[in-house]
Amino acid sequence: VGGAEKQLVMLAKEMHLLKHQVFVYALRGDGALIEALENAGILVFKGLLRSERHLSSFLRGLLDLAKVIIKIRPNVLNAFLPLSSLLAAVLGKILLVKYIVISKRGLGKHQDINKKWQYLDKISNYFSHAVTVNSKSVKQDLIKRDRISKSKITCIYNGIDLKKFHTNPEKILKARKDLGLHPQEYAWINIGNFVHHKGHQDLVKAFNRIHKQFDVKLFLVGRDRGTMNSIRGLISHLREDHRIKVLGFQKNVHEILIAMDGYVGSSHTEGFSNAILEGMAANLKIVATDVGGNSEALMSGKYGKIITPNSVQSLTSAMEYTMKDDTLTETRERAKTFSKENMASEYLKLYLEGTS
């Protein structure tokens, strides 16, 4: 489950609470967040696409999506992620949907991996009425790659549920005790699926270089997407098993975040980091690489330390500096800008303008 899916669910639930009729079409018919949508009273259509590489499966999925669009006749069709955006934009245009929106959640690195998307994304852009992005850096990347008109793009930042992070000293103490942290220990956390571009290797090496004067631990949270075993091996090789804890996927990350002192983001590439927003919502001190929308979230360093990506030494220095800095920065105040309510309000404004 990625950030795009979580944002979609959050948006759908907020629109539902505002008494708008909301339907969600899950292209592949599965996903961990379908249950959350259904529990919120939102009707989910489970798509039939199993593999876009097999023509029969692709056509079956395409036909099913067309049938659903014809059945519900939406005023607004908003798609997330490249393949969904392509199918929704083309079918929406053919079936005369009044307003088609595609949402770009990250830099166009998928075009570098698979060249066909350089052309397919342009088709999605052409048939849509509006394109949303979640950071200025994604907007600039989109304009550069796809030559899309600025007037078609709306920047709507990711949203977070601030209420989850309301806490008190007793809850914090319990959360720290559950993680084996004593009061004097400084606790860092990194949240991100275990893939190369999240920079876990840089982070583990950087943490290993932190001066031994610091009583500190690092917690790594995320699903394994191919690199978890190698990271565990590196931790053991550096003899850091007692200080670096791989927690894997955690359903209630906010309950871990409140026990932390700092959040460190080591990504080599990023669209707009939900994890950094959640770190600020928990009022943590932030260190993050200067990629994607990180600098925007932290207001160019006002609310955290911005560092060069792919640099082990920069990570080490920034973490040491932050641990020595007694300045109390209210990152929670900055996080209020990114409430789920603000995010939903911006989308609703776009939808109403597009259908009026």
Side-chain angles (χ1 to χ4, degrees):
V1 178
E5 293 88 344
K6 290 178 181 178
Q7 289 296 304
L8 185 155
V9 170
M10 192 178 294
L11 174 60
K13 290 168 73 172
E14 286 300 303
M15 289 296 174
H16 182 69
L17 289 173
L18 292 170
K19 307 302 181 183
H20 293 281
Q21 194 172 25
V22 179
F23 304 97
V24 172
Y25 186 91
L27 192 60
R28 300 182 189 277
D30 56 10
L33 296 174
I34 288 178
E35 184 179 353
L37 287 165
E38 292 178 333
N39 288 341
I42 296 169
L43 178 59
V44 180
F45 293 93
K46 299 177 177 68
L48 301 179
L49 180 67
R50 297 296 176 265
S51 172
E52 62 270 27
R53 296 179 181 178
H54 294 93
L55 183 60
S56 60
S57 174
F58 180 79
L59 291 176
R60 186 166 58 250
L62 189 67
L63 180 61
D64 185 67
L65 175 57
K67 287 179 179 178
V68 171
I69 293 173
I70 292 169
K71 179 180 179 179
I72 65 177
R73 286 292 176 189
N75 286 323
V76 177
L77 180 58
N78 193 164
F80 290 72
L81 300 176
L83 181 59
S84 298
S85 295
L86 176 65
L87 300 185
V90 173
L91 286 177
K93 193 71 172 180
I94 293 171
L95 298 173
L96 304 178
V97 173
K98 190 170 186 178
Y99 199 58
I100 304 165
V101 181
I102 58 175
S103 294
K104 308 278 188 176
R105 314 304 301 173
L107 304 178
K109 299 291 185 180
H110 62 291
Q111 294 183 1
D112 300 330
I113 297 169
N114 191 331
K115 300 298 183 184
K116 72 179 182 182
W117 284 107
Q118 294 177 5
Y119 307 101
L120 296 177
D121 281 348
K122 288 182 174 67
I123 295 173
S124 305
N125 299 336
Y126 179 77
F127 285 119
S128 65
H129 297 102
V131 178
T132 69
V133 296
N134 57 359
S135 73
K136 292 175 183 176
S137 62
V138 173
K139 179 179 179 178
Q140 292 165 358
D141 182 69
L142 178 61
I143 292 169
K144 181 179 178 181
R145 286 177 181 271
D146 294 357
R147 310 292 183 187
I148 188 172
S149 171
K150 292 180 182 179
S151 62
K152 201 171 187 175
I153 305 172
T154 299
C155 183
I156 301 177
Y157 289 116
N158 291 354
I160 49 174
D161 187 354
L162 294 170
K163 292 178 182 177
K164 285 185 176 180
F165 298 92
H166 292 173
T167 189
N168 57 57
E170 289 76 20
K171 285 184 179 179
I172 293 172
L173 284 173
K174 183 181 183 305
R176 288 181 68 88
K177 183 179 179 181
D178 289 345
L179 290 167
L181 290 165
H182 61 70
Q184 288 73 39
E185 279 184 305
Y186 198 102
W188 287 99
I189 188 169
N190 172 277
I191 302 170
N193 290 333
F194 283 81
V195 291
H196 175 72
H197 70 262
K198 289 297 183 181
H200 290 102
Q201 186 175 92
D202 295 344
L203 180 55
V204 169
K205 289 179 179 179
F207 189 85
N208 178 249
R209 293 185 184 183
I210 289 176
H211 196 280
K212 301 309 177 187
Q213 74 182 69
F214 295 102
D215 191 2
V216 58
K217 282 185 178 176
L218 170 65
F219 296 85
L220 303 178
V221 174
R223 294 179 185 272
D224 184 18
R225 291 290 185 261
T227 64
M228 183 183 284
N229 286 339
S230 65
I231 295 303
R232 288 186 187 274
L234 178 61
I235 293 169
S236 295
H237 176 72
L238 295 174
R239 298 180 181 178
E240 288 285 7
D241 305 79
H242 63 296
R243 295 202 307 165
I244 302 178
K245 305 297 180 182
V246 178
L247 301 182
F249 172 72
Q250 298 291 317
K251 188 174 182 180
N252 297 314
V253 176
H254 60 282
E255 295 178 2
I256 299 173
L257 278 165
I258 63 170
M260 300 292 121
D261 299 291
Y263 179 85
V264 54
S266 53
S267 291
H268 301 160
T269 181
E270 196 74 73
F272 197 79
S273 173
N274 289 333
I276 287 177
L277 301 186
E278 291 174 338
M280 290 195 292
N283 209 34
L284 307 186
K285 292 188 176 183
I286 309 292
V287 170
T289 48
D290 190 7
V291 294
N294 290 353
S295 184
E296 293 171 56
L298 299 175
M299 293 187 70
S300 301
K302 180 178 180 181
Y303 289 95
K305 195 78 172 166
I306 299 291
I307 61 170
T308 304
N310 299 280
S311 173
V312 172
Q313 187 53 51
S314 292
L315 278 165
T316 302
S317 299
M319 285 190 284
E320 288 185 341
Y321 175 88
T322 301
M323 288 187 286
K324 289 186 289 187
D325 182 17
D326 292 328
T327 305
L328 182 61
T329 303
E330 282 290 326
T331 54
R332 183 181 290 121
E333 288 302 309
R334 174 60 175 161
K336 291 177 181 178
T337 306
F338 305 101
S339 70
K340 63 179 182 177
E341 292 82 8
N342 285 351
M343 181 264 289
S345 176
E346 289 296 310
Y347 269 102
L348 182 58
K349 179 183 175 182
L350 177 68
Y351 297 159
L352 293 175
E353 288 176 353
T355 55
S356 61

